[in-house]
Amino acid sequence: MHMTAIMPAPARDDDRATSYVGMTIALASWLMLFATLFLAYVVLRVQQPVWPPPGTGPLPLAQALANTFVLGASSFALAHGARQQSAGKRGALARGAWAAIGLGACFVALQVLLWMRTLRSGIVPQGVFGSVFYALTVLHALHVLGGLAALAWLAARAGAAGGAGTGRLPVQPVSMYWHFVDLVWIIMFVAIFVL
Amino acid sequence: MSDDHIHPAPTTFVAKYVFSRDHKVIAKQFLFFGLFWLLVGGTMAMFIRWNVAHPGHAIPLVGKIFYPDTDGAVPPDAYASLFTMHGTIMIFFAITPILIGCFGNFCIPLMIGARDMAFPTLNMLSFWFALSAGVVMFVSLFVPQGAAAGGWTAYPTLSTKIGQPGLGQTFWVVGVFLTGTGTIMGAVNYVTTVIRLRAPGMGYMDMPLTVWGMWYTAVLNALFVPVLGAAMMLLFFDRVFGTQFFTAGAAVTNGGGDPVLFQHLFWIFGHPEVYILILPAWGVIGDLLAFFARKPAYGYKLSVFAMGAITVMSAVVYGHHMFSTGLSPLLGQSFMLLTMIISVPAELLFLNWCHTIWKGKLRLTVPMLFSLGVVFVFGLGGLTGLYLASISTDLYLHDTYFVVGHFHLTMAAAVLLGSFAAIYYWFPKMFGRMMDERLGKLHFWLSFFPINFVFCGMLFGGWAGMHRRIYNHSVYTYLQHLEPLNKFITVAALILGAVQLLFVINFFKSFFAGAKATDNPWEVGTLEWSTPTPVPHYNFKEIPVIYHGPHEFNNPRQTAKDWIGQAERLPDDPPAAERIARTELVSQPAHS
Amino acid sequence: MRTGRARAYLAGVLVLLPIIALPALALADGTGARDPFHWMKPAPDISLDGHRVDSLFYTVTIMLAVLFLILCFLLFWPMLAHRTGSRHQVNYHHQGGHVRDLLIAAAISAAIFFVVDGTLLVHSYYDLKQAFWNFTDGSEVFRVEIMPQQWAWNIRYAGADGQFNTGDDIITLNDLHLPVGRRVLVQLKAKDVIHSFFLPNVRTKQDANPGRVTRYTFTPVKTGSYEIVCAEMCGLEHYKMRGTMTIEAQEDFERWYAEAARFAVASFDPTDAEALWGWEWEKTR
Ligand code: HEA
Ligand code: HEA
Ligand code: CUA
Ligand SMILES: [Cu+2]
């Protein structure tokens, strides 16, 4: 592309600060989405005399805690890889991203196991309790899947870049999204399983 | 992507016009999409009006095509689908694409001196989400058991399987969700673009009011459409997977949720939504009034502040749609007070507009006429909002045609006329040709009277107690005497609909054979008019440096002509470097 | 130029006509066949407190009409007098940036706020507190339970024993009888979808939701037969979900009540699980 007559613009779409601003706003949107889901949960819960309603067995707290650690580890792996890469360690980003993907996929698999277990114990997606439990956790898991896709794309690009020159990749926005999804899970874990 | 900071111009037809990442092309896609739906929604409005005046009578000429089973008359279930889809289409598929999708896209980069949106691919996706939502909605009109019929507010339990077992409502939920997703993508883009891509020297207070309006709207879209999205997902789960967020009552076995919860979620979104629609219109007419009065916009900063105050406050007044649901008195009274307070910034805007045109040199062009019309009808619409904000009057007026009159005066009159103003004004830049001035004036005056008769007439009907969403008001003895009024409104509405043909004719005539537009036909200083017509792919050959505000008219410093371009350097202006330094922090990229 | 002006004057007059009609309607509150405002008359007010809504509406209409006329002047006068070619100079410095301009704007909007919004706020506050949302009960209050369903009004009276949800309750369909002059307290709860209990003659309404009880109160002061309206979209026959409210003198009402009570006891079927749909009376806040 050669256009000598046209002067360069001061900023462009893959410029880091711009994608940072964009991702911040996008996360604000996602935050409102999950905040709404939590609001629905709170409103439905305060209207019930007891929670969980009688006849709905307890949720598997320990297993959910394990999942929380898995997802947390995934976030950590990604952050660690990105930090090492910018400290000059070649290939760290790709390794970190693949580790994050592995752990993230593990989380989804564990969630499926968890749902199978709750279904067996008689918690069905009906009534307020079952509705809240399944809707919130499933919607979160869908966002994890989206994040996995983004991470896979990032890891592939980082790998293709031969371990160097990852400066142009949208590492920051993808990481922001991934940590956000992790954070939402932690809140969800506390709100649904612990409280 | 190359390193010269300019997207290469696409060469194939598909890349240029179908999967385009150029904001100007996406703007046009949104425009045609929106106009198509405006036509569909408008036709539905005509059917609605016919039926209100002559319930159960065949629609002349076209009735048999649409309702063959009933010999051309609208049956009651089809009537419910009609107003549901009319409201949904007009808000999400006509006005949002035209005003926000088209003019947001077209104006923001051009008016702030950018080459494109911050995220062109996201921008393209935004349109394709809207388009697929449109397809879903269109298909839903033809599914067995009919389109959605629970009102555009889709209150459960009517909108759950209990009240709407058919596929139409499910399609509706999916369609609204998809178009909402597209809107959020656009919003992220708009907010970022304004923050990051303003030309050097353009501070926030140098932006045209149009950009401010679009920006506030985008902020609201980014924050509140997700609330609607969440509500739609939960409703979808209720309908498809049998969860029970919003179901209750006799049909429900194990416990059940809370239908009123949905109303809270819907209006947390829904109230900001009405300002989402009006803010761009306010911005546009705030600019146009100044442009065509050849005077600086009076109280520019106050207007920016007032619009900002409304943006912030729009989040905390939504309860005024729910006064009759059994809110606690304290909550109800708080929402009443907050709603009243939000009318103060609107008054400030009005004062500013009146001051702007006072002692100007008004050029009553078509866009100016439409802008003045917006002030008039929005005055009526806004003032009628006050009756509804007060609980004791609202408990009577709620769900009557008074509310219908109020929101058509604000939306179907003010926002629609504002959209027309924008189309007439930017058409030359978009399509390189002028629209016909005489036809335009005819369109304005012939629309302006009927539009007021139609929607003010509804106010009277509402005061008389006629409730909304009814197929046949003559079922009630206390509404018998409203028949002349309703017939009058219908005649006015049919005239209004017919007059829109003038616009269609004007649009296509000008599109193909209008007089060639010069670069700056309105003699206005904002940046889009400093580009050549038609606008090249890269918008600005050289990113301009901004020296002036958007409304520099009749400035004594410039005597050769009565306007100053935003990027026009007068001899005694500060040097470029100084102007650039002003905005260094915000618009310089952090290159890696 | 001249014809342009004439056109604009004509336009102004035509546009103002419907707006001038608004204050005129406020002044013409008479009934009668020759009433020029017959075409837009609301149903007659038959309640103790309905006049509150009417008078607040009219008062505010007058205020807003004045405001709107000012707005019209500010809008139309420049269209006539300040067009291209008019002789005055445009004052570039008329930009409203000074503190004085801000103070004037603040003063105007504060004045509008305190007068118009203030009137609405104060009246609304007392209207609700004293009438529409005043649910205090006592022995003098007459109670009814109403359960709307698609598309009818189920109405329940306490019957002979004065207790709700017992076998002797009077149950009617779409037929509400009430004694004149006595305050009525209604509890509402919908069976299937949301409905809204609207009495145009009483000037107020209340939604009936599935799953939660809401309340409605008023005092009828005129005997006669009036319409009950469903004001919330509730499906196919929403438009004809109509009931009748009969307000009777005390003796007439008692006669009807006794008759209905006898019939209720005779027709009660204890095996019908759905017969006892009544619900507890909430303690009043
Ligand atoms: C663009 C859309 C739009 C806008 C801008 C508004 C603006 C306002 N609306 Fe409206 N409204 C809707 C769209 C809109 N509304 C819709 C769609 C519904 C119903 C949805 C449904 O149920 O289907 C609705 C319903 C609605 C209700 C619920 C009614 C009910 O269902 O019972 C209420 C109640 O408070 C309300 C109030 C207001 C108020 C106080 C404003 C204020 O913002 C208005 C502020 C403006 C002014 C106060 C006028 C300006 C001032 C002057 C003209 C004075 C000038 C004079 C001089 C300068 C001298 N609106
Ligand atoms: C912005 C939104 C908008 C717009 C513009 C309109 C426009 C109109 N509306 Fe609508 N309306 C709503 C939003 C809107 N409405 C909503 C939200 C509801 C509530 C739904 C519910 O209860 O759930 C409603 C309900 C509603 C009702 C109440 C139904 C009922 O409660 O029973 C009525 C009744 O008369 C009505 C009438 C009209 C009329 C006569 C117009 C006229 O202004 C229409 C005139 C316009 C045209 C005829 C279109 C002309 C076409 C073009 C200009 C396109 C040109 C094309 C090309 C160049 C390609 N509307
Ligand atoms: Cu019941 Cu409408
Ligand atoms: Cu609102």
Side-chain angles (χ1 to χ4, degrees), chain B residues 157 295 361 396 398 481 552, chain C residues 86 88 92 94 192 205:
Chain B
T157 48
K295 256 185 74 193
K361 295 248 191 228
Y396 176 59
H398 172 68
H481 64 299
E552 290 294 302
Chain C
S86 45
H88 66 273
Y92 171 79
H94 182 243
D192 35 35
K205 63 172 71 72

Side-chain angles (χ1 to χ4, degrees), chain A residues 67-117:
Chain A
N67 295 7
T68 310
F69 279 118
V70 173
L71 196 59
S74 168
S75 243
F76 179 78
L78 181 66
H80 187 70
R83 211 175 319 107
Q84 296 248 298
Q85 179 91 19
S86 49
K89 207 162 175 191
R90 307 188 73 203
L93 177 64
R95 277 196 300 280
W98 285 119
I101 293 170
L103 288 162
C106 223
F107 171 83
V108 177
L110 286 170
Q111 284 291 85
V112 173
L113 288 180
L114 189 130
W115 291 323
M116 280 161 64
R117 178 156 161 200

Side-chain angles (χ1 to χ4, degrees), chain C residues 122-141:
Chain C
V122 171
H123 278 269
S124 236
Y125 179 79
Y126 285 107
D127 290 353
L128 296 175
K129 204 172 149 87
Q130 294 165 355
F132 304 122
W133 283 357
N134 170 15
F135 301 111
T136 48
D137 50 6
S139 52
E140 77 292 350
V141 172

